[in-house]
């Protein structure tokens, strides 16, 4: 699966968990070719609402965040990586049965 396919899968899994204003903001960055900003915004929306997508593992989200280099630099929150990892430590496992 390509990075674009993984990204699309993650967005589809997370989308229903984000309210209309959050979706509007994420969509804006997607439409302007800024997937890393869309991803960071999407994760911040989930983290703020303490919501977890049930169709993806945290390791998938973490890999995508690293692919976008959010472990090194973020746009919206200078403490993104630390907060993201704390949130991820509480992330429930996807039931593979």
């Amino acid at each position: 699966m390509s990075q674009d396919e993984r990204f699309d899968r993650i967005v589809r899994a997370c989308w229903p968990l984000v309210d209309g204003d959050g979706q509007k903001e994420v969509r804006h960055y997607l439409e302007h070719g800024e997937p890393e900003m869309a991803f960071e915004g999407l994760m911040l929306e989930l983290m703020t609402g303490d919501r977890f997508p049930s169709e993806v593992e945290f390791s998938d989200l973490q890999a995508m965040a690293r692919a976008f280099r959010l472990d090194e630099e973020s746009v919206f929150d200078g403490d993104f990586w630390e907060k993201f990892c704390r949130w991820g430590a509480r992330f429930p496992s996807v039931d593979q049965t």
Side-chain angles (χ1 to χ4, degrees):
M1 183 182 300
S2 73
Q3 180 171 322
D4 288 342
E5 291 169 328
R6 286 191 302 274
F7 178 71
D8 289 343
R9 180 176 158 263
I10 288 169
V11 170
R12 281 193 312 274
C14 297
W15 199 251
L17 303 175
V18 178
D19 68 23
D21 289 338
Q23 288 180 354
K24 183 178 177 181
E25 290 179 26
V26 170
R27 186 179 296 115
H28 169 81
Y29 292 110
L30 290 172
E31 290 172 351
H32 288 89
E34 298 285 352
E36 66 284 347
M37 292 174 74
F39 181 83
E40 181 182 355
L42 184 61
M43 294 301 103
L44 288 169
E45 287 288 328
L46 296 177
M47 291 160 41
T48 299
D50 204 30
R51 294 174 296 247
F52 303 93
S54 62
E55 300 169 19
V56 294
E57 295 282 349
F58 179 69
S59 61
D60 297 329
L61 300 177
Q62 195 172 38
M64 186 61 57
R66 282 193 171 117
F68 288 136
R69 299 180 53 171
L70 293 172
D71 56 331
E72 299 172 21
E73 181 179 14
S74 60
V75 173
F76 303 119
D77 186 333
D79 296 322
F80 172 82
W81 189 251
E82 180 183 325
K83 291 175 183 177
F84 178 71
C85 289
R86 267 198 322 262
W87 173 73
R90 298 183 357 267
F91 203 95
S93 248
V94 174
D95 184 9
Q96 298 292 330
T97 59

